[in-house]
Coordinates of all heavy atoms in Angstrom, one line a residue:
M1 N 122.8 68.0 85.9 CA 122.9 68.4 84.5 C 123.1 69.9 84.3 O 122.6 70.7 85.1 CB 121.7 68.0 83.8 CG 121.7 66.4 83.6 SD 120.6 65.9 82.2 CE 119.0 66.2 82.9
K2 N 123.7 70.3 83.4 CA 124.1 71.7 83.1 C 123.4 72.2 81.9 O 123.0 71.5 81.0 CB 125.6 71.9 82.9 CG 126.4 71.3 84.2 CD 127.8 71.4 84.0 CE 128.4 70.9 85.2 NZ 129.7 71.0 85.4
A3 N 123.1 73.5 81.9 CA 122.3 74.3 80.8 C 123.3 74.5 79.7 O 124.5 75.0 79.9 CB 121.6 75.4 81.3
Y4 N 122.9 74.2 78.5 CA 123.7 74.6 77.2 C 122.8 75.1 76.1 O 121.5 75.0 76.2 CB 124.4 73.3 76.7 CG 125.4 72.7 77.5 CD1 125.2 71.7 78.4 CD2 126.6 73.2 77.4 CE1 126.1 71.1 79.2 CE2 127.7 72.6 78.3 CZ 127.4 71.6 79.1 OH 128.3 71.1 80.0
E5 N 123.4 75.8 75.2 CA 122.7 76.4 74.1 C 123.4 76.0 72.8 O 124.7 76.2 72.7 CB 122.6 78.0 74.2 CG 122.0 78.7 73.3 CD 122.0 80.1 73.6 OE1 122.8 80.9 73.1 OE2 120.9 80.5 74.2
L6 N 122.7 75.4 71.9 CA 123.3 75.2 70.6 C 122.7 76.0 69.5 O 121.6 76.1 69.3 CB 123.0 73.6 70.3 CG 123.1 73.1 68.9 CD1 124.7 73.3 68.5 CD2 122.7 71.7 68.7
L7 N 123.6 76.6 68.8 CA 123.2 77.4 67.6 C 123.9 76.8 66.4 O 125.1 76.7 66.4 CB 123.6 78.9 67.7 CG 123.1 79.7 66.6 CD1 121.7 79.9 66.5 CD2 123.7 81.2 66.8
C8 N 123.2 76.5 65.4 CA 123.8 75.8 64.2 C 123.0 76.4 63.0 O 121.9 76.9 63.1 CB 123.7 74.3 64.2 SG 122.1 73.6 64.4
F9 N 123.6 76.3 61.8 CA 122.8 76.6 60.6 C 123.1 75.6 59.6 O 124.2 75.0 59.4 CB 123.0 78.0 60.1 CG 124.3 78.3 59.4 CD1 124.4 78.1 58.1 CD2 125.4 78.8 60.1 CE1 125.6 78.5 57.4 CE2 126.6 79.1 59.5 CZ 126.7 78.9 58.1
V10 N 122.1 75.4 58.7 CA 122.2 74.5 57.5 C 122.0 75.4 56.3 O 121.6 76.5 56.3 CB 121.1 73.4 57.6 CG1 121.3 72.5 58.8 CG2 119.7 73.9 57.5
S11 N 122.4 74.7 55.2 CA 122.3 75.5 53.9 C 120.9 75.7 53.6 O 120.0 74.8 53.8 CB 122.9 74.5 52.8 OG 122.7 75.1 51.6
P12 N 120.5 76.9 53.1 CA 119.1 77.2 52.8 C 118.5 76.4 51.7 O 117.4 76.2 51.5 CB 119.0 78.7 52.7 CG 120.4 79.0 52.3 CD 121.4 78.1 53.0
S13 N 119.4 75.9 50.9 CA 118.9 75.0 49.7 C 118.7 73.6 50.0 O 118.2 72.9 49.1 CB 120.0 75.2 48.5 OG 121.3 74.6 49.0
I14 N 119.0 73.1 51.2 CA 118.8 71.7 51.5 C 117.3 71.5 51.7 O 116.5 72.3 52.0 CB 119.5 71.4 52.9 CG1 119.7 70.1 53.0 CG2 118.7 72.0 54.1 CD1 120.6 69.7 54.2
D15 N 116.9 70.2 51.2 CA 115.5 69.8 51.3 C 115.0 69.7 52.7 O 115.7 69.4 53.6 CB 115.2 68.6 50.4 CG 116.0 67.5 50.9 OD1 116.7 67.6 51.8 OD2 115.6 66.3 50.2
E16 N 113.7 69.7 52.9 CA 113.1 69.7 54.2 C 113.3 68.3 54.9 O 113.5 68.2 56.1 CB 111.6 70.0 54.1 CG 110.9 70.2 55.4 CD 111.5 71.4 56.2 OE1 111.8 72.4 55.6 OE2 111.6 71.3 57.5
E17 N 113.4 67.3 54.1 CA 113.7 65.9 54.6 C 115.1 65.8 55.3 O 115.1 65.2 56.4 CB 113.6 64.9 53.5 CG 112.5 63.9 53.6 CD 112.4 63.0 52.4 OE1 113.5 62.2 52.2 OE2 111.4 63.0 51.7
S18 N 116.1 66.3 54.6 CA 117.4 66.2 55.1 C 117.6 67.2 56.4 O 118.3 66.8 57.3 CB 118.4 66.8 54.1 OG 118.4 65.9 53.0
R19 N 116.8 68.3 56.4 CA 116.8 69.3 57.5 C 116.1 68.5 58.8 O 116.6 68.6 59.8 CB 116.1 70.5 57.2 CG 116.2 71.5 58.2 CD 115.5 72.8 57.6 NE 115.8 73.9 58.4 CZ 115.2 74.1 59.6 NH1 114.4 73.3 60.0 NH2 115.5 75.2 60.3
A20 N 115.1 67.8 58.5 CA 114.4 67.1 59.6 C 115.2 66.0 60.1 O 115.3 65.7 61.4 CB 113.0 66.6 59.1
A21 N 115.9 65.2 59.3 CA 116.8 64.2 59.7 C 117.9 64.7 60.5 O 118.4 64.1 61.5 CB 117.4 63.5 58.4
A22 N 118.6 65.9 60.2 CA 119.6 66.5 60.9 C 119.0 66.8 62.4 O 119.9 66.6 63.3 CB 120.2 67.7 60.3
M23 N 117.9 67.4 62.4 CA 117.3 67.8 63.7 C 117.0 66.5 64.6 O 117.3 66.5 65.7 CB 116.0 68.6 63.5 CG 116.1 70.0 63.2 SD 116.9 70.9 64.6 CE 115.8 70.7 65.8
K24 N 116.6 65.5 63.9 CA 116.2 64.2 64.6 C 117.5 63.6 65.2 O 117.6 63.1 66.3 CB 115.6 63.3 63.7 CG 115.1 62.0 64.3 CD 114.1 62.2 65.3 CE 113.6 60.9 65.9 NZ 112.7 61.1 67.1
R25 N 118.6 63.7 64.4 CA 119.9 63.3 64.8 C 120.5 64.0 66.0 O 121.0 63.4 67.0 CB 121.0 63.3 63.7 CG 122.2 62.6 64.0 CD 123.0 62.3 62.8 NE 124.1 61.5 63.2 CZ 125.1 61.2 62.4 NH1 125.1 61.7 61.2 NH2 126.1 60.4 62.8
I26 N 120.2 65.4 66.1 CA 120.6 66.1 67.3 C 119.8 65.7 68.5 O 120.4 65.5 69.6 CB 120.5 67.6 66.9 CG1 121.5 68.0 65.8 CG2 120.7 68.5 68.2 CD1 121.3 69.4 65.3
E27 N 118.5 65.6 68.3 CA 117.6 65.3 69.4 C 118.0 63.9 69.9 O 118.0 63.7 71.2 CB 116.2 65.4 69.0 CG 115.5 66.7 68.7 CD 114.3 66.7 67.9 OE1 113.8 65.6 67.8 OE2 113.8 67.8 67.7
T28 N 118.3 62.9 69.1 CA 118.7 61.6 69.5 C 120.0 61.5 70.3 O 120.0 61.0 71.2 CB 118.7 60.7 68.3 OG1 117.5 60.7 67.6 CG2 119.1 59.2 68.7
T29 N 120.9 62.3 69.8 CA 122.2 62.4 70.4 C 122.1 63.0 71.9 O 122.7 62.5 72.8 CB 123.2 63.1 69.6 OG1 123.2 62.7 68.4 CG2 124.6 63.2 70.3
I30 N 121.3 64.0 72.0 CA 121.1 64.7 73.3 C 120.3 63.7 74.2 O 120.8 63.5 75.4 CB 120.3 66.0 73.3 CG1 121.2 67.0 72.5 CG2 119.7 66.5 74.6 CD1 120.5 68.3 72.2
A31 N 119.4 63.0 73.7 CA 118.6 62.1 74.5 C 119.5 60.8 74.9 O 119.3 60.3 76.0 CB 117.4 61.6 73.8
E32 N 120.4 60.5 74.1 CA 121.2 59.3 74.4 C 122.2 59.6 75.5 O 122.5 58.7 76.3 CB 122.0 58.8 73.3 CG 121.2 58.0 72.2 CD 121.9 57.7 71.0 OE1 123.1 58.1 70.7 OE2 121.4 56.9 70.1
G33 N 122.6 60.9 75.6 CA 123.4 61.3 76.7 C 122.7 61.8 77.9 O 123.1 62.5 78.8
E34 N 121.4 61.3 78.1 CA 120.5 61.5 79.1 C 120.1 63.0 79.3 O 119.9 63.5 80.3 CB 121.0 60.9 80.3 CG 121.1 59.4 80.3 CD 121.6 58.8 81.6 OE1 121.7 59.5 82.6 OE2 121.8 57.5 81.5
G35 N 120.2 63.7 78.2 CA 119.9 65.2 78.3 C 118.5 65.4 77.9 O 117.6 64.6 77.4
V36 N 118.0 66.7 78.1 CA 116.6 67.1 77.9 C 116.6 68.4 77.1 O 117.3 69.4 77.5 CB 115.9 67.3 79.3 CG1 114.5 67.8 79.0 CG2 116.0 66.0 80.1
I37 N 115.8 68.4 76.1 CA 115.7 69.6 75.3 C 114.7 70.6 75.9 O 113.5 70.1 76.1 CB 115.4 69.3 73.8 CG1 116.5 68.6 73.1 CG2 115.1 70.6 73.0 CD1 116.3 68.2 71.7
D38 N 115.0 71.7 76.2 CA 114.1 72.7 76.9 C 113.2 73.5 75.8 O 112.1 73.6 76.0 CB 114.9 73.7 77.8 CG 115.6 72.9 78.9 OD1 115.1 71.9 79.4 OD2 116.7 73.3 79.3
N39 N 114.0 73.8 74.8 CA 113.3 74.8 73.8 C 114.1 74.6 72.5 O 115.4 74.5 72.4 CB 113.4 76.2 74.2 CG 112.7 77.2 73.4 OD1 111.7 76.7 72.7 ND2 113.0 78.4 73.4
A40 N 113.4 74.5 71.4 CA 114.0 74.5 70.1 C 113.3 75.5 69.3 O 112.1 75.5 69.1 CB 113.9 73.1 69.5
E41 N 114.1 76.5 68.7 CA 113.5 77.6 67.9 C 114.1 77.6 66.4 O 115.3 77.4 66.3 CB 113.9 79.0 68.5 CG 113.2 79.2 69.8 CD 113.7 80.7 70.3 OE1 113.8 81.6 69.5 OE2 113.8 80.8 71.5
D42 N 113.3 77.8 65.5 CA 113.7 77.9 64.1 C 113.7 79.3 63.8 O 112.7 80.0 63.7 CB 112.7 77.1 63.1 CG 113.1 77.0 61.8 OD1 114.2 77.6 61.5 OD2 112.4 76.6 60.9
W43 N 114.9 79.8 63.6 CA 115.1 81.3 63.3 C 114.9 81.6 61.8 O 114.8 82.8 61.3 CB 116.5 81.8 63.7 CG 116.6 82.0 65.2 CD1 115.8 81.6 66.2 CD2 117.7 82.4 65.8 NE1 116.2 81.9 67.4 CE2 117.6 82.5 67.2 CE3 119.0 83.0 65.4 CZ2 118.5 83.0 68.2 CZ3 119.9 83.3 66.3 CH2 119.7 83.3 67.7
G44 N 114.8 80.5 61.0 CA 114.6 80.8 59.6 C 115.9 81.2 58.9 O 117.1 81.2 59.4
K45 N 115.8 81.7 57.7 CA 116.9 82.2 56.9 C 117.5 83.5 57.3 O 116.6 84.5 57.6 CB 116.5 82.3 55.4 CG 116.3 80.9 54.8 CD 116.0 81.2 53.3 CE 115.7 79.7 52.7 NZ 115.2 79.9 51.2
R46 N 118.7 83.6 57.5 CA 119.4 84.9 57.9 C 120.6 85.1 57.0 O 121.3 84.1 56.5 CB 119.9 84.8 59.3 CG 118.9 84.6 60.3 CD 118.3 85.9 61.0 NE 117.1 85.5 61.7 CZ 117.1 86.0 63.1 NH1 117.9 86.7 63.5 NH2 116.0 85.7 63.7
K47 N 120.9 86.4 56.7 CA 122.1 86.6 55.9 C 123.3 86.5 56.8 O 123.3 86.9 58.0 CB 122.1 88.1 55.4 CG 123.2 88.4 54.5 CD 122.7 89.7 53.7 CE 123.9 90.1 52.7 NZ 124.3 89.1 51.9
L48 N 124.4 85.9 56.3 CA 125.7 85.7 57.0 C 126.5 86.9 56.9 O 126.4 87.7 56.0 CB 126.4 84.5 56.4 CG 125.7 83.2 56.4 CD1 126.5 82.1 55.8 CD2 125.4 82.7 57.8
A49 N 127.3 87.2 57.9 CA 128.2 88.3 57.9 C 129.2 88.2 56.8 O 129.7 89.3 56.2 CB 128.9 88.5 59.2
F50 N 129.6 87.0 56.5 CA 130.6 86.8 55.4 C 130.3 85.3 54.8 O 129.6 84.6 55.4 CB 132.0 86.9 55.8 CG 132.4 85.9 57.1 CD1 132.8 84.6 56.9 CD2 132.1 86.4 58.3 CE1 133.0 83.8 58.0 CE2 132.5 85.6 59.4 CZ 132.9 84.4 59.2
E51 N 130.7 85.2 53.6 CA 130.4 84.0 53.0 C 131.1 82.8 53.6 O 132.3 82.9 54.0 CB 131.0 83.9 51.4 CG 129.8 84.2 50.6 CD 130.2 84.1 49.1 OE1 131.1 83.2 48.8 OE2 129.7 84.9 48.3
I52 N 130.4 81.6 53.8 CA 131.0 80.4 54.3 C 130.7 79.3 53.4 O 129.6 79.1 53.0 CB 130.5 80.1 55.7 CG1 130.8 81.1 56.8 CG2 131.0 78.8 56.3 CD1 130.1 81.1 58.1
D53 N 131.7 78.6 52.9 CA 131.5 77.6 51.9 C 130.7 78.0 50.8 O 129.8 77.2 50.3 CB 130.9 76.3 52.6 CG 131.8 75.7 53.6 OD1 133.0 75.9 53.7 OD2 131.3 75.0 54.5
G54 N 130.8 79.2 50.3 CA 130.0 79.8 49.1 C 128.6 80.1 49.5 O 127.9 80.4 48.6
L55 N 128.2 80.1 50.6 CA 126.9 80.5 51.1 C 126.9 81.9 51.6 O 127.8 82.3 52.5 CB 126.3 79.6 52.3 CG 126.2 78.1 51.9 CD1 125.9 77.2 53.1 CD2 125.2 77.8 50.8
S56 N 125.8 82.7 51.3 CA 125.7 84.1 51.8 C 124.5 84.1 52.8 O 124.3 85.1 53.5 CB 125.5 85.1 50.8 OG 124.4 84.7 50.0
E57 N 123.8 83.0 52.8 CA 122.6 82.8 53.8 C 122.7 81.5 54.5 O 123.2 80.6 54.0 CB 121.3 82.9 53.0 CG 120.9 84.2 52.6 CD 119.4 84.3 52.0 OE1 119.1 83.2 51.4 OE2 118.7 85.2 52.1
G58 N 122.0 81.4 55.7 CA 122.0 80.2 56.4 C 120.6 80.0 57.1 O 119.9 81.1 57.4
D59 N 120.1 78.9 57.2 CA 119.0 78.6 57.9 C 119.2 78.2 59.3 O 119.6 77.0 59.6 CB 118.1 77.4 57.1 CG 116.7 77.3 57.5 OD1 116.2 78.1 58.3 OD2 116.0 76.5 56.9
Y60 N 118.9 79.0 60.4 CA 119.4 78.9 61.7 C 118.4 78.2 62.6 O 117.2 78.3 62.5 CB 119.7 80.3 62.3 CG 121.0 80.9 61.8 CD1 120.9 81.6 60.7 CD2 122.0 80.9 62.7 CE1 122.2 82.3 60.4 CE2 123.2 81.5 62.4 CZ 123.3 82.2 61.1 OH 124.4 82.8 60.7
I61 N 118.9 77.5 63.5 CA 118.2 76.7 64.5 C 118.9 76.9 65.9 O 120.2 76.8 66.0 CB 118.3 75.1 64.2 CG1 117.8 74.9 62.8 CG2 117.5 74.4 65.3 CD1 118.1 73.5 62.3
L62 N 118.2 77.2 66.9 CA 118.6 77.5 68.2 C 118.0 76.4 69.2 O 116.8 76.3 69.2 CB 118.2 78.9 68.7 CG 118.6 79.3 70.3 CD1 120.1 79.3 70.3 CD2 118.0 80.5 70.7
I63 N 118.8 75.8 69.9 CA 118.3 74.6 70.9 C 118.9 74.9 72.3 O 120.1 75.0 72.4 CB 118.7 73.3 70.4 CG1 118.1 72.9 68.9 CG2 118.3 72.2 71.3 CD1 118.7 71.7 68.4
D64 N 117.9 75.1 73.2 CA 118.4 75.0 74.6 C 118.1 73.8 75.3 O 117.0 73.2 75.1 CB 117.5 76.2 75.4 CG 117.7 77.6 74.8 OD1 118.9 77.9 74.6 OD2 116.7 78.4 74.7
F65 N 119.1 73.3 76.0 CA 119.0 71.9 76.5 C 119.9 71.7 77.8 O 120.7 72.6 78.1 CB 119.4 70.7 75.5 CG 120.8 70.9 75.1 CD1 121.8 70.1 75.6 CD2 121.3 71.7 74.1 CE1 123.1 70.1 75.2 CE2 122.6 71.9 73.7 CZ 123.4 70.8 74.3
H66 N 119.5 70.9 78.6 CA 120.3 70.4 79.8 C 120.8 69.0 79.5 O 120.2 68.1 78.9 CB 119.4 70.3 80.9 CG 119.1 71.6 81.6 ND1 118.1 72.4 81.0 CD2 119.6 72.2 82.6 CE1 118.0 73.6 81.8 NE2 118.9 73.5 82.8
A67 N 122.2 68.9 79.8 CA 122.8 67.6 79.6 C 124.1 67.5 80.5 O 124.5 68.6 81.1 CB 123.4 67.5 78.2
A68 N 124.6 66.4 80.6 CA 125.8 66.2 81.4 C 126.9 66.6 80.5 O 127.0 66.6 79.3 CB 125.9 64.6 81.7
A69 N 128.0 67.1 81.3 CA 129.1 67.7 80.6 C 129.9 66.6 79.7 O 130.4 67.0 78.7 CB 130.1 68.3 81.6
E70 N 129.7 65.4 80.0 CA 130.5 64.3 79.3 C 129.9 64.1 78.0 O 130.5 63.6 77.0 CB 130.5 63.0 80.1 CG 131.2 63.1 81.5 CD 130.3 63.7 82.5 OE1 129.0 63.5 82.5 OE2 130.9 64.4 83.4
S71 N 128.6 64.4 77.8 CA 127.8 64.1 76.5 C 128.0 65.2 75.5 O 127.7 65.0 74.3 CB 126.4 63.9 76.8 OG 125.8 65.2 77.3
I72 N 128.6 66.3 75.9 CA 128.9 67.4 74.9 C 129.9 67.1 73.9 O 129.8 67.4 72.7 CB 129.2 68.7 75.7 CG1 128.1 69.2 76.7 CG2 129.5 69.9 74.7 CD1 126.8 69.4 76.1
A73 N 130.9 66.4 74.3 CA 131.9 66.0 73.3 C 131.3 65.0 72.2 O 131.6 65.3 71.0 CB 133.0 65.2 73.9
E74 N 130.5 64.2 72.5 CA 129.8 63.3 71.6 C 128.8 64.1 70.7 O 128.7 64.0 69.4 CB 129.0 62.2 72.3 CG 128.2 61.3 71.3 CD 129.0 60.5 70.4 OE1 130.3 60.4 70.5 OE2 128.4 60.0 69.4
L75 N 128.1 65.0 71.3 CA 127.2 65.9 70.5 C 128.1 66.7 69.5 O 127.7 66.9 68.2 CB 126.3 66.9 71.4 CG 125.4 67.8 70.7 CD1 124.4 67.1 69.8 CD2 124.8 68.7 71.7
N76 N 129.2 67.3 69.8 CA 130.1 68.0 69.0 C 130.6 67.2 67.9 O 130.6 67.7 66.7 CB 131.3 68.6 69.9 CG 131.9 69.8 69.3 OD1 131.3 70.5 68.4 ND2 133.1 70.1 69.7
R77 N 130.9 65.9 68.2 CA 131.4 65.0 67.1 C 130.3 64.7 66.1 O 130.6 64.8 64.9 CB 131.9 63.8 67.8 CG 132.5 62.8 66.8 CD 132.6 61.4 67.5 NE 131.4 60.7 67.6 CZ 130.8 60.1 66.7 NH1 131.1 60.0 65.4 NH2 129.6 59.4 67.0
V78 N 129.1 64.5 66.6 CA 128.0 64.2 65.7 C 127.7 65.5 64.8 O 127.5 65.4 63.6 CB 126.7 63.8 66.5 CG1 125.4 63.8 65.6 CG2 126.9 62.5 67.2
L79 N 127.7 66.6 65.3 CA 127.5 67.9 64.6 C 128.5 68.1 63.5 O 128.3 68.5 62.4 CB 127.4 69.1 65.5 CG 126.2 69.1 66.4 CD1 126.3 70.1 67.5 CD2 124.9 69.4 65.5
R80 N 129.8 67.7 63.8 CA 130.9 67.9 62.9 C 130.7 66.9 61.7 O 131.1 67.3 60.6 CB 132.2 67.7 63.6 CG 132.8 68.9 64.2 CD 134.3 68.8 64.5 NE 134.6 67.5 65.0 CZ 134.8 67.1 66.3 NH1 134.5 68.1 67.2 NH2 135.1 66.0 66.8
I81 N 130.2 65.8 61.9 CA 130.2 64.8 60.8 C 128.7 64.8 60.1 O 128.7 64.1 59.1 CB 130.5 63.3 61.3 CG1 129.4 62.8 62.3 CG2 131.9 63.3 61.8 CD1 129.6 61.4 62.7
T82 N 127.8 65.6 60.5 CA 126.6 65.6 59.9 C 126.8 66.6 58.7 O 127.0 67.8 58.9 CB 125.4 66.2 60.8 OG1 125.4 65.2 62.0 CG2 124.1 66.2 60.2
D83 N 126.5 66.1 57.5 CA 126.7 67.0 56.4 C 125.8 68.1 56.3 O 126.2 69.1 55.7 CB 126.6 66.0 55.0 CG 127.7 65.1 54.9 OD1 128.8 65.3 55.5 OD2 127.4 64.0 54.3
A84 N 124.6 68.1 56.7 CA 123.6 69.1 56.6 C 124.0 70.3 57.5 O 123.6 71.4 57.1 CB 122.3 68.6 57.0
I85 N 124.7 70.1 58.5 CA 125.0 71.2 59.5 C 126.3 71.8 58.9 O 127.3 71.2 58.7 CB 125.4 70.7 60.9 CG1 124.1 69.9 61.5 CG2 125.7 71.9 61.8 CD1 123.0 70.7 61.7
V86 N 126.2 73.2 58.5 CA 127.4 73.8 58.0 C 128.3 74.3 59.1 O 129.5 74.0 59.1 CB 127.0 75.2 57.2 CG1 128.1 75.9 56.7 CG2 126.0 74.6 56.1
R87 N 127.7 75.0 60.2 CA 128.5 75.4 61.3 C 127.6 75.2 62.5 O 126.4 75.3 62.4 CB 128.9 77.0 61.1 CG 129.8 77.3 60.1 CD 131.3 76.9 60.6 NE 132.2 76.9 59.5 CZ 133.0 78.0 59.2 NH1 132.9 79.0 59.8 NH2 133.7 77.8 58.1
H88 N 128.3 75.1 63.7 CA 127.6 75.1 64.9 C 128.4 75.6 66.1 O 129.7 75.8 66.0 CB 127.2 73.7 65.2 CG 128.4 72.7 65.5 ND1 129.2 72.2 64.7 CD2 128.9 72.4 66.8 CE1 130.2 71.6 65.3 NE2 130.0 71.7 66.5
M89 N 127.7 76.0 67.2 CA 128.4 76.4 68.4 C 127.7 76.0 69.7 O 126.4 76.2 69.6 CB 128.6 78.0 68.4 CG 129.3 78.4 69.6 SD 129.5 80.2 69.8 CE 129.3 80.9 68.3
I90 N 128.3 75.4 70.6 CA 127.7 75.0 71.8 C 128.2 75.8 72.9 O 129.4 75.9 73.1 CB 127.8 73.5 72.1 CG1 127.3 72.6 71.0 CG2 127.2 73.1 73.4 CD1 127.7 71.2 71.1
V91 N 127.4 76.5 73.6 CA 127.8 77.4 74.7 C 127.1 77.0 76.1 O 125.9 76.5 76.1 CB 127.3 78.8 74.4 CG1 127.8 79.7 75.5 CG2 127.9 79.3 73.1
R92 N 127.9 77.0 77.2 CA 127.4 76.7 78.4 C 126.7 77.9 78.9 O 127.2 79.0 78.9 CB 128.5 76.3 79.4 CG 128.2 76.2 80.9 CD 127.6 74.9 81.1 NE 127.1 74.9 82.4 CZ 127.6 74.9 83.6 NH1 129.0 74.7 83.7 NH2 126.9 74.9 84.8
R93 N 125.5 77.7 79.4 CA 124.6 78.9 80.0 C 124.6 78.8 81.5 O 123.8 78.0 82.1 CB 123.2 78.7 79.5 CG 123.0 79.0 78.0 CD 123.5 80.3 77.5 NE 122.9 81.4 78.2 CZ 121.9 82.1 77.7 NH1 121.5 81.9 76.5 NH2 121.3 83.0 78.4
Y94 N 125.5 79.5 82.1 CA 125.4 79.5 83.5 C 124.3 80.1 84.3 O 123.9 79.9 85.4 CB 126.8 80.2 84.1 CG 128.0 79.6 83.7 CD1 128.7 79.9 82.6 CD2 128.5 78.6 84.5 CE1 129.9 79.3 82.3 CE2 129.7 77.8 84.2 CZ 130.3 78.3 83.1 OH 131.4 77.6 82.8
D95 N 123.5 81.0 83.6 CA 122.4 81.8 84.1 C 121.1 80.9 84.1 O 120.1 81.3 84.7 CB 122.1 83.0 83.2 CG 121.8 82.7 81.8 OD1 122.5 81.8 81.3 OD2 121.1 83.6 81.2
R96 N 121.2 79.7 83.5 CA 120.0 78.8 83.4 C 120.2 77.5 84.2 O 119.3 76.6 84.0 CB 119.7 78.5 81.9 CG 119.3 79.7 81.2 CD 118.9 79.3 79.8 NE 118.5 80.6 79.0 CZ 118.5 80.6 77.8 NH1 118.6 79.5 77.1 NH2 118.2 81.7 77.1
D97 N 121.2 77.4 84.9 CA 121.4 76.0 85.7 C 120.3 75.8 86.8 O 119.6 76.6 87.2 CB 122.7 76.1 86.4 CG 124.0 75.7 85.4 OD1 123.6 75.1 84.4 OD2 125.0 76.0 85.7

């Protein structure tokens, strides 16, 4: 398994239930691909460099995990169709393998 880092943000106006449901969906998708979450950090609200979809702030989440390379495409698909997630980026971490 290879090390990855996922950084995503949700709208700060979203309710806590929807935010928790989005996090649960991410955790489930990683687990279904036989991945393991090493660390999940809630960065809280941060100001965006520029407006995205009318938002000037975002509620950031950073997740470090190990997963098979084949499961990343499915995680990317799930993140794209999850309404609560505004933007996301998955990066391979070579220094943590």
Side-chain angles (χ1 to χ4, degrees):
M1 292 204 286
K2 300 176 183 189
Y4 293 94
E5 183 175 88
L6 164 64
L7 181 64
C8 61
F9 77 89
V10 298
S11 172
S13 62
I14 199 167
D15 61 353
E16 192 60 36
E17 243 177 63
S18 299
R19 189 174 188 284
M23 280 298 298
K24 184 68 176 167
R25 188 161 188 194
I26 292 170
E27 291 169 1
T28 303
T29 305
I30 291 172
E32 285 174 354
E34 297 179 8
V36 177
I37 294 177
D38 300 326
N39 187 26
E41 293 181 34
D42 184 4
W43 284 5
K45 291 182 184 176
R46 304 265 174 127
K47 186 162 177 57
L48 302 176
F50 53 91
E51 262 191 32
I52 298 175
D53 296 336
L55 298 172
S56 60
E57 285 187 329
D59 199 0
Y60 282 83
I61 302 163
L62 176 70
I63 300 173
D64 295 318
F65 65 99
H66 281 78
E70 300 82 34
S71 65
I72 299 302
E74 175 63 16
L75 177 60
N76 203 18
R77 184 190 72 79
V78 167
L79 289 166
R80 274 197 317 266
I81 63 173
T82 303
D83 292 334
I85 306 291
V86 178
R87 292 282 166 96
H88 71 278
M89 183 184 336
I90 303 171
V91 179
R92 170 84 194 282
R93 295 296 307 255
Y94 293 97
D95 59 332
R96 295 185 183 165
D97 279 341

